[in-house]
Amino acid sequence: MKICAIIAEYNPFHNGHLKQIEYVKNTLNAEKIIVIMSGDFTQRGEPAIMNKYTRAKHAVIAGADAVIELPTVFATANAEIFAKGAINVINGISVCDGLCFGVESGEKEEYLELAKALNNETSEYKKAVKSQLETGVSLAKAKHTALKSVYGDALNCDLLSSPNNILGLEYVKACLKTNASLEFFPMIREGKHNDKTLRKGITSATSIREKIKLNQKRAVKKSLPRFVFRDLKNFPFAYEKMALSKIITTSSEEMSKISDCTEGLENRIKALVKDNHSLETLIEKVSTKRYPKTRISRIILANLLGVKEKFVKDCLETPLYASVLAVNNESKDLLKELSQKSKIPLITRKSDFTALKKTALESFELDETALDIYNLITNEKRSYGRINFI
């Protein structure tokens, strides 16, 4: 394999991520690695622990050859949109022939078969999902139960029961829908994705962030490469009040247009914000079995950034761009190959945005807005469009 893609957040980059890069290089024998990485805000609906340029630097130091930013409109969305957006970027740069992703379980063929079934939903399956949703469960739970009832043991439906499996499945679905010429490499990860307990050796990013939020940074020292630990900062808590105040100043009508804010959720959020001045408490009160905490967090972030449902759909249907955050000094030839083969504009400096039109330009401006807000909550001064050669 010549060039393998990895889709990641690196929030923060930890020993498990390092193991994946080593696996791609040493076991899959990839000549180059391109990481498609979330920017300053993440899929959980939170600001990242460290800014995107620092996290991109960590990826290159660890062995990646180039890091391309996943546009904010996709990076802060649900698993399906996150995956579709990332695959669109990979298809757009036209240089990758492999994709490696971490999962809790499952084999390549199981992902392929289940993805095919989900991409060709039968009327029986749709009815089963609708029936499950009427019981008040989340969409992910409804799909899992519906698949089991329709396909039984013919498919490994349990792939829909854990977060990284779901995301991996969405990657495969997106690749099949777009006829992407990528070979898939699911890699079994260690530990549980959402485990808040810090474990010895490889532990979850969630457990690391929990310690950082408690200002216990030294506790995570052995869980991170040394070059990551030395860059750790306090969690950007200023985000919380900014997000809460935006809810107060946004009308219900405007909030109803926000991505994933459906079925009157805007009214529930606005009613509860008056008596819950902690973001964590508000999310706890708004969430239900049907509307998980991560979905509420994403809605609140989308409201702050002004990401509307229609805009997300437009971005999914439009070729956007590849904004390069960092490149290995020894891999500058890869940058040349990208510039020659990419079917979407390559952004290596801010002036490159002049090649963007309409929806792509709006998406780029959203990335800039996200950076400005992140600068505000972290008291940093970073400008958009600077590429780091590491």
Side-chain angles (χ1 to χ4, degrees), residues 73-110:
V73 64
F74 303 137
T76 56
N78 61 39
E80 182 178 9
I81 294 168
F82 180 99
K84 283 181 179 178
I87 297 302
N88 283 351
V89 173
I90 292 172
N91 288 341
I93 59 177
S94 307
V95 297
C96 299
D97 48 12
L99 173 65
C100 179
F101 50 90
V103 295
E104 286 88 359
S105 62
E107 301 292 334
K108 173 184 173 180
E109 289 304 319
E110 293 176 315

Side-chain angles (χ1 to χ4, degrees), residues 330-348:
E330 297 179 0
S331 302
K332 289 183 179 179
D333 58 321
L334 178 58
L335 198 58
K336 183 179 179 182
E337 185 174 358
L338 281 166
S339 65
Q340 291 173 341
K341 294 184 178 180
S342 181
K343 294 180 288 188
I344 55 178
L346 194 67
I347 310 292
T348 59

Side-chain angles (χ1 to χ4, degrees), residues 263-319:
E263 300 172 303
L265 270 174
E266 68 279 1
N267 297 318
R268 182 174 173 82
I269 293 170
K270 282 191 69 67
L272 288 170
V273 75
K274 295 178 181 179
D275 298 317
N276 295 280
H277 297 167
S278 156
L279 186 58
E280 184 178 354
T281 305
L282 175 65
I283 293 168
E284 183 78 37
K285 291 289 180 68
V286 175
S287 64
T288 63
K289 285 183 179 180
R290 181 159 184 166
Y291 306 116
K293 291 180 183 179
T294 48
R295 178 174 175 180
I296 305 304
S297 297
R298 285 193 294 267
I299 291 170
I300 291 171
L301 173 58
N303 183 60
L304 176 63
L305 297 174
V307 182
K308 296 182 179 179
E309 187 75 25
K310 183 182 183 303
F311 178 62
V312 175
K313 290 178 180 177
D314 289 344
C315 287
L316 284 172
E317 295 169 0
T318 305

Side-chain angles (χ1 to χ4, degrees), residues 21 139 178 193 202 212 254 262 267 296 330 339 384 389:
I21 286 180
L139 181 58
T178 58
H193 175 70
I202 293 176
I212 294 171
E254 281 301 302
T262 59
N267 297 318
I296 305 304
E330 297 179 0
S339 65
Y384 197 92
F389 289 97

Side-chain angles (χ1 to χ4, degrees), residues 34-52:
I34 294 179
V35 176
I36 311 299
M37 190 192 78
S38 300
D40 289 322
F41 292 91
T42 67
Q43 207 249 340
R44 293 181 63 85
E46 293 182 341
I49 287 287
M50 288 176 278
N51 70 66
K52 61 189 178 185

